[in-house]
Amino acid sequence: MIAITTADFAERCGGSLVGLSGSEPITGFATDSREVTQGSLFLAIKGAQVDGHDFAEGVVAAGAIAVLAERPVPVPHILVPDLVQALAGFAKSKRAEFGGPVVGITGSNGKTSAKEFTAAALSPLGSILKNPGNKNTEYTAPLIWAELEGSTKAVVSEMAMRGFGQIDHLAQLTQPNLAIITMIGTAHIEMVGSREGIARAKAEILSHLTGPAILWAEDDFIGTLRSLAPHEVITFGFSPDADCRIVGYRSQGWNQSQIRGVFRGEEFSAVLPTVGKHQAVNAASAIVAAVECGVNLADAAKSLQNATIPAMRMETREAAGVTYVLDNYNASPDSMVAALKTLMEVDSAGRRVAVLGEMRELGDTAEQGHRLVGRALAMADVDSVIVFGDMARWIAEEAIALGFPASRLSQATSLDDIHDRLVDANEGDTVLVKGSRALFLERALEGIL
């Protein structure tokens, strides 16, 4: 719950009150004019296409208490020289008041799920503060500190990366005691040029640690990350060399799985409210973090079943006896391959159908990334595949070249086209829908779900 006045916020962020008494309570924050609620503070972000300052009068009319602005606007506002630095100043001020453990989480894939697992594993300590949803940017991650309370026992901060310096910025204001790097993949590779660049960008969190770095044992860049960690490194994964090792995994339908593992010679078992071996790995990272923060291993493992997995991450819905699996929050080669593997591992009474959208933000590696997914598809016994998007043709080409039956694969021309094909799904079928967020593939299911 947010309990802060405009005066307190302005002081912490180095801003000046304009048209405000300072006693006004801030009840929330909005970065989009459509998100404004009564009493919220609107952040006037100046983007490449849209300038938030232009919406100042509209958001106050809609109920915003004020605008956080970089230039004067004709409504009550808190004036700051630089929005990003102001938000960082606010977060640093609040962080300085907290003496409990802070876990920083980043990675190319799985960071939001790892955040939710970590918050759940830490819950035996008491109240845990975490980013809501995917509020993990330089504009939204600092604002979680507005909900810091005296009862808060630990903070879990997810950090996004779209270029060099961003993780460094977020880690500076968060000052994590320990950090999880889920994996070095290809998401946002066009911003940093290569996987080596991604590894460097994600590793920016390491220099800010006062405690251990928690790293995936099978990561291609484990050696690089280990060399940059200033303190202890603790690994997790299926590898026999992992410090926290998953020794057993079994799916139990689309909404649950069970794992067994060993950490420092002690066995544990856990029920997860989702499926996929990649999620078992995320859960292992959370167990390490919780134990390092003082939670008993058995309690941490038991609490994983209470994790809240966000929407459109292997989210299942049913209609007319057909199971639809929505995993289109975003997509990278790594997550596409993981989704295909999960589609094959969970029992299906009928056909297995995959709708695979193109992957954005891969830059010069776009063709390579899509062909990697095509190779994974060639090894999967999927009954029917629909690809969508110009670049998705490389998925189809590679899969067919490696022996996937061309008769099982087709290319859709629009969301309506996908919809028309899925209407014919039969009772017992399982349909995986996976692609970049910008495609809005879930809209193809309108009228079906």
Side-chain angles (χ1 to χ4, degrees):
M1 179 178 173
I2 295 170
I4 188 170
T5 64
T6 53
D8 189 14
F9 189 88
E11 181 179 357
R12 291 175 182 273
C13 73
S16 304
L17 297 175
V18 181
L20 294 162
S21 68
S23 62
E24 299 87 354
I26 297 172
T27 60
F29 300 92
T31 57
D32 187 313
S33 59
R34 295 165 294 187
E35 298 173 348
V36 168
T37 56
Q38 196 68 36
S40 60
L41 179 67
F42 176 71
L43 277 57
I45 300 171
K46 186 176 181 179
Q49 305 295 329
V50 178
D51 187 344
H53 294 81
D54 297 337
F55 296 86
E57 291 179 279
V59 296
V60 170
I65 196 69
V67 175
L68 184 63
E70 293 179 335
R71 67 170 188 263
V73 290
V75 293
H77 59 282
I78 299 173
L79 186 63
V80 297
D82 182 278
L83 198 64
V84 171
Q85 293 307 316
L87 293 170
F90 168 76
K92 288 179 182 178
S93 169
K94 296 289 284 186
R95 171 66 178 94
E97 298 173 359
F98 182 65
V102 177
V103 183
I105 300 180
T106 190
S108 296
N109 299 109
K111 55 185 175 291
T112 301
S113 295
K115 173 202 69 183
E116 295 296 340
F117 280 130
T118 301
L122 286 166
S123 63
L125 295 177
S127 177
I128 308 301
L129 180 61
K130 64 180 181 179
N131 314 60
N134 64 332
K135 304 292 187 181
N136 56 18
T137 71
E138 65 271 31
Y139 294 106
T140 54
L143 296 174
I144 69 169
W145 293 96
E147 298 190 46
L148 183 69
E149 298 177 338
S151 61
T152 301
K153 299 301 182 183
V155 177
V156 184
S157 180
E158 177 187 347
M159 305 179 193
M161 182 281 294
R162 295 190 308 278
F164 292 116
Q166 291 187 327
I167 297 296
D168 181 65
H169 170 78
L170 292 172
Q172 280 188 41
L173 62 91
T174 302
Q175 292 297 305
N177 302 109
L178 62 161
I180 296 170
I181 300 180
T182 59
M183 69 169 299
I184 304 301
T186 53
H188 304 300
I189 197 170
E190 69 175 3
M191 305 296 181
V192 292
S194 66
R195 287 188 72 204
E196 289 77 10
I198 290 174
R200 292 204 316 274
K202 299 295 185 184
E204 290 172 359
I205 196 173
L206 298 176
S207 62
H208 298 279
L209 298 182
T210 59
I214 303 169
L215 308 175
W216 182 35
E218 293 102 317
D219 201 304
D220 293 340
F221 292 88
I222 182 67
T224 299
L225 298 175
R226 188 186 290 273
S227 69
L228 295 172
H231 305 290
E232 180 187 9
V233 169
I234 305 173
T235 59
F236 60 90
F238 282 90
S239 168
D241 299 326
D243 297 310
C244 182
R245 180 164 57 100
I246 302 296
V247 298
Y249 164 82
R250 181 164 58 95
S251 63
Q252 299 174 317
W254 277 104
N255 296 310
Q256 185 172 288
S257 58
Q258 190 169 35
I259 63 172
R260 292 183 298 106
V262 179
F263 184 35
R264 292 175 175 158
E266 186 177 353
E267 296 182 358
F268 65 85
S269 62
V271 173
L272 309 182
T274 187
V275 293
K277 289 185 176 180
H278 57 296
Q279 294 288 29
V281 171
N282 291 330
S285 74
I287 284 177
V288 174
V291 171
E292 286 297 301
C293 292
V295 181
N296 173 272
L297 176 61
D299 291 340
K302 182 179 180 180
S303 298
L304 291 175
Q305 64 187 325
N306 300 320
T308 303
I309 304 302
M312 289 193 288
R313 289 173 173 84
M314 303 307 280
E315 176 187 0
T316 58
R317 301 185 193 178
E318 292 202 9
V322 179
T323 299
Y324 295 89
V325 184
L326 304 184
D327 194 34
N328 54 319
Y329 166 73
N330 215 334
S332 69
D334 309 292
S335 64
M336 291 282 262
V337 170
L340 280 171
K341 288 180 178 178
T342 305
L343 176 63
M344 298 312 302
E345 99 188 15
V346 180
D347 290 338
S348 178
R351 299 178 306 153
R352 290 182 172 89
V353 180
V355 179
L356 304 178
E358 67 180 0
M359 298 171 285
R360 306 280 177 88
E361 299 181 336
L362 295 182
D364 294 338
T365 68
E367 181 173 355
Q368 176 187 347
H370 285 84
R371 290 192 180 278
L372 178 67
V373 175
R375 289 196 288 276
L377 178 59
M379 293 186 288
D381 189 22
V382 181
D383 297 291
S384 178
V385 180
I386 302 167
V387 297
F388 177 62
D390 216 36
M391 293 184 288
R393 73 184 186 279
W394 289 318
I395 297 176
E397 287 177 7
E398 190 71 13
I400 291 171
L402 292 174
F404 190 85
S407 60
R408 298 188 195 175
L409 202 152
S410 61
Q411 183 143 10
T413 57
S414 66
L415 294 178
D416 287 338
D417 188 12
I418 296 172
H419 175 277
D420 292 343
R421 296 167 190 241
L422 294 182
V423 165
D424 295 330
N426 300 316
E427 183 176 351
D429 288 353
T430 301
V431 181
L432 169 69
V433 182
K434 175 73 175 170
S436 280
R437 180 85 290 271
L439 300 178
F440 296 102
L441 287 177
E442 68 276 6
R443 293 179 181 174
L445 301 178
E446 291 178 357
I448 296 177
L449 296 179

